[in-house]
Every structure is written in structure tokens, then in C-alpha cells.
Amino acid sequence: MQFDDRRRFLAKVGSGMLVGSLGASLAGDLGISSACAEDHDGRLTFGDMEPLVALMQETPLNRLQRVLLDRIDGGTELQTLIAAGALANARTFGGHDYVGFHTFMALSPALEMSTELPSERRALPILKVLYRNTDRIQQFGGSSREVLKRLDSLKHEGARPTGHALQAATRTADVEQAERIMASMADQPAQRIFNKVQFPIQDDANVHRVVLAWRAWLAIDLIGQQHASTLLRQSVHFCLQDSKNRLEKGRPDPELWVLLPKLLDQYKLIGKPVGTRRGDDQWIEELAWTFFRSNRSQAADAAAQVLAEGYEPDQIGEAMSIAANLLLLHDPGRSRDQDGDKVKGSVHGASVGVHASDAANAWRNIAAVSNQRNTMASLIVGAYHTAGQSPHVRPERWPLKQDAVEAIDDQSELLKITEGAVRGRDQSLAAAAAQRYGELGGSPRPLFDVLLSFATSQDGALHAEKYYRTVTEEFAKTRPSMRWRHLVGLARVSASEYGTPAPGYEEACELMNVDA
């Protein structure tokens, strides 16, 4: 099974796609009053992309998918639509709205999902997330209520801005100072801005804090370096809002404020050459179980010690990923019905295992693209984040219906059973069939194809796209002896989330003349 390297893929499709204007006539075609908005009141605008960004904000929802399909038929690439949706989202929400930032985090996964689909269905995940994006933007207030404004009128006063300075501003919820620092960095290379933004990201273990930062980084490759500051400001605003809530409610400072610098100093990790040692399967399994069973400070210490011993950083990332998957496979499911489709026994959406998996994936990826200091820090915080959650799940693995499939040797039959179990919302059977298929040496692509169809069609309580992409990435990077457990987890989550098609999905299928 071959997976494109995400950064190479996004860089390839992003290069040159923003060249040339889409034309001012777009506004008249769509009935949009301000497609090329005037530059007033410090409004953040996006040059040649502005008409399409405005389309994402202002097109009536009942016309959106027809308009987008017309654009696709006219030659607009899917990547361009996602880029415009991301900019519209960032400008509108700026990391402040729960559904808003969840939608942003689904945009690049939806684009990458589209590359795995047949050509006639390729636009479906794109239309799905852009429908959600515009719907929420308009509920939020659209162009009349945009969080992010231009920064070019702001100047940073004082010493050269650092990650520590940005961290200090976010800790005290000092919005003006944080914005001044971001303004002073706006013309710096994206990598430098990204590394400075990691300081406040590392201040607390919050899945949205870290996944938003990672997805913003991916969007830079797609949209362009000139928008790096805008995209990363979302994460800064998230941290500012989090600090504001903490201060207003009188909550104590996060433990990581003291623990992280202590461990970096104790194990002399700042400036230490990145290690190259690799553990065998048993070593990785034991480290994963350490993260699974330990409290958070113990797990952080274990990660720091392993880094000090010269192990390759991604070895910690792999163990974190496996530990997060253990949380999913040990989860008994929700104890009671919650909002929407998150019924008793379900494990999709904001569940312990899905959240842990998405967070571990983000910390692991951030560590891989950061400078030396942030590589070490991200993995320590990632281990801290993954750990301390086993009290929320069973000590023993959640039981699968292995008896129902253990005598089946036909791989095609097992794929049919998996699909049927998902449609029947039978998590135990879906996971058991997926596991048995792997035991027989089945090719992963056909099973991914089955589960991709559900990640595309279902709402998933805002997590379907992100978690599907997490699993494809972690499957590709995990050693062969352990990687199949990620697919078993995806089969379980797919069965859990089935039954609530994403808003706009059936309309998109009808417009595209494909089966829903």
C-alpha cells in the first residue's frame, strides 16, 4: 500500500495554484455583495484568492454545492477550493469557535481522502467539509463578524520577539501583546514562526490546541508561505482564549509550565544531538504500555529519559500512537447518551481513544518538522498528553466477536462482513472482521476503501475526516507487526459513527449523479 508523503503532495499541488485572479465577475455570478471586499477597518484580505474566499463565506447554503461543482467543471481544482475554505475559516473564526476550528482541522484530511477515491467521487469529501464550513461561517456571522484582522498596522516594541515572549503573552491572555509579536514575525519564514508558536502550544495537553497547530502547518504548504502568520494565529488565539477561561475561573497554572523546562534541563536535552537508536518490537510495546498505564508526569519523564538515552525521536512518537490506540481498543464506550448521535456505547467523536490518537499523531508530526528544542519538547508533552487516561477505559481489551469470524478464511467475505457490521453499528463484529482479515494477510487497501466510504459519508461528530487521516498516517509509519491495530480501531469507530450522514452529503451525491 502506497501513501504519498503529505508534505511533498501538498507542496506539489499548492505550487502555482494561486497564480492569477479568479475575476471580479464572480461576485455578480453568485449574487455576492462584496466578493472583492474593500480594504477598510483593518479587514484581512487575500489578494487574488479573495473572490473565492468571499464565495465560501457568502454564498447561500442552498446554492453552495451547485456553485462549487460549477467551479470544478470550469477548471477550479479541489486544492484551490480547500485553500479558499481554509482562509475563510481562519479569517472568520480565528481559532475561537468549536465547530469552526474542528472544520478547519478537517479540510486537509478531506483533500487527502479525495486522492484515495475514484475520480467520479473525488469531490465528495471536499464538498462535505466545505458545506460544513460555510454553514458554520454563516451561523457565526460571516463577513460581519470576523475574528482575525490585518496585522500590518501593529508593531512590536522592545526586544526581538521570541517563543518565550509569545508564550508569556498567551499565559496572561494579553491579546494585544500576542498580536504585536505575531505582527513582528509576519515576514519571517514559516518555519521560524511555527517554531515560536510551539512554545504556547506546549503549555497544556489539549487535543484541539495541538491538532489545530499541526493542521495549520499543513495548510501553509497548500495555501502559500505568505499566509503562514494568518494560519498560525489561529493557534495563538486558541491559547489566548484558553488562558482567559483559566484566569476567569481561577484554575491553577498547568503542570507543564514547570514540568517541561524541568525535564529539558534535568536530562540536558536542549542542544543534545538527536539520537538514532531504535528499539525492537518488544521495546516499543513496553514503552507504549508505560505511556498507557502511567500518570502524565511519569510518562513525560519516561519520554525525556528515552530521548536522553539517544533513541530516535520518532520511536517515542510510535509508542505514543500505539498507546493511544490501546485507549481506543480498551474503551467500553460512552456510559450514557450524549448530544446528537453520540449514543451509549459509542466511541466516535470526542472520545478518549479518538482524541488521544489525533493528539498523538499531531505531536508526532510536529516533532518531525520542528527544530531540535521543539522536537524534544513536543515528544515530552505528547507523552504527557497520551498518558493518564487509562482510568477512563477497561484494564482489559474491549471484547470483539472473534467467534463469529475465526473460521472464515475468505478475505472477500470478511470485507463484506466488515461493511455489513459497520452499517449495523456492530462495533465488536466490525473490529473482529477487520482483525481477522489482517491475520489472513489481506491487503490493507481494500479494507481502507470500505472504511473510507464511511469517513466520507458520515458526520462522525466532526471527527470522521481527522481520525481517518490519523489512521492512514499511523498505519503507514507503524512497524508491520503492530500497524494493523490502527485499522481495527478505525473499523470500530466507523461502526460507532454510522447512521448520521453528513449534512449536504446526499445533495452532493445527487448533484454528482453517484450513489449516496
Side-chain angles (χ1 to χ4, degrees), residues 62-71 507 510-511:
N62 62 0
R63 296 180 55 199
L64 178 70
Q65 300 202 86
R66 289 183 182 275
V67 168
L68 294 179
L69 285 170
D70 285 346
R71 293 295 145 190
E507 178 194 0
E510 182 178 348
L511 291 170

Side-chain angles (χ1 to χ4, degrees), residues 82 85-86 89-90 92-111 113 125 128-134 136-137 140 206-216 234-235 238 334 342 348-351 354-356 358-359 458-469:
I82 287 292
N89 184 297
T92 303
F93 304 116
H96 280 241
D97 180 72
Y98 182 86
V99 176
F101 60 66
H102 270 86
T103 303
F104 180 89
M105 294 187 288
L107 290 169
S108 61
L111 177 60
M113 285 165 59
K128 172 190 178 182
V129 296
L130 291 178
Y131 185 96
R132 182 194 304 163
N133 196 43
T134 295
R136 189 59 180 179
I137 285 172
F140 193 76
N206 179 296
V207 61
H208 308 125
R209 195 182 193 101
V210 64
V211 177
L212 181 59
W214 171 239
R215 295 299 168 191
Q234 298 176 93
S235 293
F238 183 96
R334 290 179 174 83
K342 294 185 282 187
H348 67 282
S351 70
V354 169
H355 264 182
D358 285 344
Q458 303 303 295
D459 181 67
L462 305 177
H463 288 72
E465 302 82 17
K466 285 194 292 87
Y467 182 65
Y468 178 85
R469 187 59 193 163

Side-chain angles (χ1 to χ4, degrees), residues 73-89:
D73 291 342
T76 302
E77 296 185 352
L78 299 179
Q79 297 92 333
T80 306
L81 295 180
I82 287 292
L87 291 172
N89 184 297

Side-chain angles (χ1 to χ4, degrees), residues 116-118 444-454 468 487:
E116 299 177 40
L117 287 165
R445 185 66 260 171
L447 183 53
F448 268 113
D449 286 340
V450 169
L451 302 177
L452 172 60
S453 68
F454 299 115
Y468 178 85
L487 260 172

Side-chain angles (χ1 to χ4, degrees), residues 109-225:
L111 177 60
E112 297 187 71
M113 285 165 59
S114 74
T115 67
E116 299 177 40
L117 287 165
S119 58
E120 68 274 11
R121 302 183 70 85
R122 198 157 289 164
L124 284 175
I126 307 298
L127 294 176
K128 172 190 178 182
V129 296
L130 291 178
Y131 185 96
R132 182 194 304 163
N133 196 43
T134 295
D135 187 18
R136 189 59 180 179
I137 285 172
Q138 293 177 356
Q139 291 176 21
F140 193 76
S143 58
S144 66
R145 186 187 171 196
E146 294 171 346
V147 170
L148 295 189
K149 303 295 182 181
R150 279 207 339 259
L151 286 179
D152 52 6
S153 62
L154 296 171
K155 294 181 180 180
H156 178 67
E157 299 172 0
R160 184 170 61 89
T162 63
H164 286 296
L166 185 61
Q167 183 182 55
T170 58
R171 285 179 175 182
T172 57
D174 189 338
V175 176
E176 182 177 352
Q177 178 68 355
E179 289 279 64
R180 287 184 182 278
I181 293 172
M182 290 300 293
S184 70
M185 298 191 296
D187 294 332
Q188 294 182 6
Q191 183 79 40
R192 188 174 299 174
I193 302 172
F194 180 73
N195 274 303
K196 291 177 180 177
V197 169
Q198 294 316 301
F199 281 76
I201 300 301
Q202 294 158 5
D203 262 351
D204 206 355
N206 179 296
V207 61
H208 308 125
R209 195 182 193 101
V210 64
V211 177
L212 181 59
W214 171 239
R215 295 299 168 191
W217 174 250
L218 286 181
I220 295 169
D221 279 335
L222 177 64
I223 299 170
Q225 298 277 314

